[in-house]
Amino acid sequence: MSSVESSAKSPGFAAEFKDAVTLRAFGLVLGGLLVQLAFVVSYVGAFHSPTPHRIPVAVVAPQQASAKIVAQLDGLAGDPVDATAAPDAATARQWVLTRKADAAFLFDASGAEDTLLVASAGGPSVSQTATQIAQKIETAQKRRIGVTDIRPPDPGDGRGMTSFYLVLGWVIGGYLTATIMGMAAGSRPANRQRTLIRLGVLALYALVSGIAGAAVVGPVFDALDGHFWALSGIGALVVLASAATALALQTLLGLLGTGLVILLFVVLGNPSSGGVYPAPLLPSFWSAIGQLLPPGAGTTLVRNTVYFSAHAVTPALWVLGAYAVGGTLLAWAASWRNERRGGPAPVAENGPAAETGPATQTGTPPEARPTG
């Protein structure tokens, strides 16, 4: 073959580049870059400088000293503490165990050593920060303070991070499964019937996933032992909330919906969840959104169920229920909208298109037509 013929058949580098780097491909690469930058900004923004802000602290002291101590704590620079007077030590202890307070300061009027009650199972970093604040104040007052951890994490739970990692796995599993189901036969369900089938499969997956996660952190590793069925139910709710929301956004927005799911659940949801640093140590933006997203609501629900007798879990249940129910309804509505826009679905979606050749146009089967 001559060089002239070869060059005639080759489209050239410019044409190949134009064909390979389409506007759609460029948009996807740009979207990936933006998600990457958002990931870095969100995690670094949330974790680069944890600063205490209005940590709830109960104060127990004689009446004449209580108001002064509360005012002193509330007047600290930067508002690291939100102090509230408690009538007695038993009440203050109960406030910590029911999550009304993160710590309790018990003033000893007859001596020079006070007591700080903390519950590090609710977030070791908050307990450590409250301890540091109390020690600094006590040193300035030439007093001493003893710290009592009335609810530490279980021995297998290390630094109390198991709840966060468990919920993180459930959330990722939920939206990944919904995404895979969408990719398996087109990114958008063609009709409401297929959406119902997918929702049914996702509900079954959520049940299995919840039980499997509870088994891993319970019987397998003894990290969060003794709450198997409670954790199974929580896991099913977390997975369904994640999966239904992902299915809804992907049905409504297609590929853009997948990016939005990652933005909500991973880029914003994980650093604001309270798993690494609870809300009082996060910047205001992450502190505000954390409990409104499934990772944060799920982490709180697991921690408070396992360590605090399921106190203060109602808001988290409402949030997860809203995502599960709202995602289900939105997926149904989006598939109905897609039906109206695209017309009736073909009878055999995955089969070959009906042929309209001469043999079928006359209505005579090919084998019945004369051959000679």
Side-chain angles (χ1 to χ4, degrees):
M1 181 181 294
S2 67
S3 60
V4 175
E5 291 175 337
S6 178
S7 62
K9 289 187 176 182
S10 176
F13 178 80
E16 290 282 8
F17 181 85
K18 183 178 179 180
D19 182 63
V21 185
T22 62
L23 183 61
R24 175 181 172 82
F26 176 77
L28 291 174
V29 172
L30 180 61
L33 175 62
L34 292 177
V35 170
Q36 170 190 308
L37 292 177
F39 185 94
V40 174
V41 169
S42 184
Y43 277 72
V44 175
F47 298 152
H48 78 288
S49 180
T51 303
H53 181 68
R54 300 185 65 81
I55 298 175
V57 174
V59 174
V60 178
Q63 187 173 4
Q64 61 272 21
S66 178
K68 180 180 178 181
I69 296 174
V70 168
Q72 181 184 11
L73 292 175
D74 286 342
L76 294 174
D79 292 328
V81 172
D82 180 17
T84 303
D88 51 54
T91 300
R93 180 187 179 91
Q94 188 66 15
W95 284 4
V96 174
L97 294 177
T98 57
R99 309 317 293 144
K100 185 177 179 180
D102 284 326
F105 179 77
L106 312 181
F107 179 76
D108 182 7
S110 61
E113 183 170 354
D114 304 317
T115 302
L116 184 70
L117 304 180
V118 297
S120 61
S125 54
V126 170
S127 298
Q128 292 169 1
T129 302
T131 299
Q132 292 169 0
I133 294 172
Q135 289 173 340
K136 184 177 180 180
I137 294 174
E138 293 289 87
T139 299
Q141 298 292 330
K142 300 188 184 311
R143 297 178 64 86
R144 299 183 306 275
I145 190 163
V147 180
T148 302
D149 192 347
I150 60 176
R151 189 56 51 84
D154 289 342
D157 191 11
R159 292 181 55 78
M161 296 288 289
T162 302
S163 301
F164 168 63
Y165 290 125
L166 175 62
V167 172
L168 177 61
W170 278 333
V171 169
I172 292 177
Y175 79 72
L176 274 184
T177 302
T179 302
I180 291 170
M181 290 180 65
M183 293 173 61
S187 60
R188 297 187 182 185
N191 51 48
R192 286 168 286 177
Q193 288 75 19
R194 183 182 295 180
T195 298
L196 282 178
I197 292 172
R198 290 184 179 180
L199 286 169
V201 172
L202 289 174
L204 180 60
Y205 171 83
L207 288 173
V208 174
S209 181
I211 293 173
V216 169
V217 300
V220 175
F221 288 113
D222 291 327
L224 300 176
D225 205 7
H227 301 81
F228 180 82
W229 290 113
L231 290 179
S232 296
I234 293 172
L237 180 58
V238 170
V239 174
L240 185 59
S242 173
T245 303
L247 177 63
L249 293 176
Q250 290 160 0
T251 304
L252 184 66
L253 302 173
L255 186 60
L256 181 61
T258 301
L260 186 57
V261 169
I262 295 174
L263 177 66
L264 286 175
F265 293 167
V266 180
V267 174
L268 295 177
N270 286 349
S272 66
S273 66
V276 179
Y277 292 121
L281 300 184
L282 293 174
S284 57
F285 172 75
W286 286 268
S287 177
I289 68 172
Q291 296 304 305
L292 300 178
L293 297 172
T299 300
T300 296
L301 185 54
V302 171
R303 275 181 175 168
N304 288 6
T305 298
V306 171
Y307 291 117
F308 302 102
S309 304
H311 286 287
V313 299
T314 301
L317 286 170
W318 276 107
V319 167
L320 293 171
Y323 277 93
V325 175
T328 299
L329 295 177
L330 182 58
W332 173 266
S335 62
W336 177 76
R337 185 206 67 167
N338 291 344
E339 278 187 18
R340 289 178 61 87
R341 287 186 173 184
V347 175
E349 279 184 38
N350 297 323
E355 295 182 359
T356 57
T360 58
Q361 288 177 357
T362 61
T364 306
E367 63 273 13
R369 301 178 69 174
T371 59

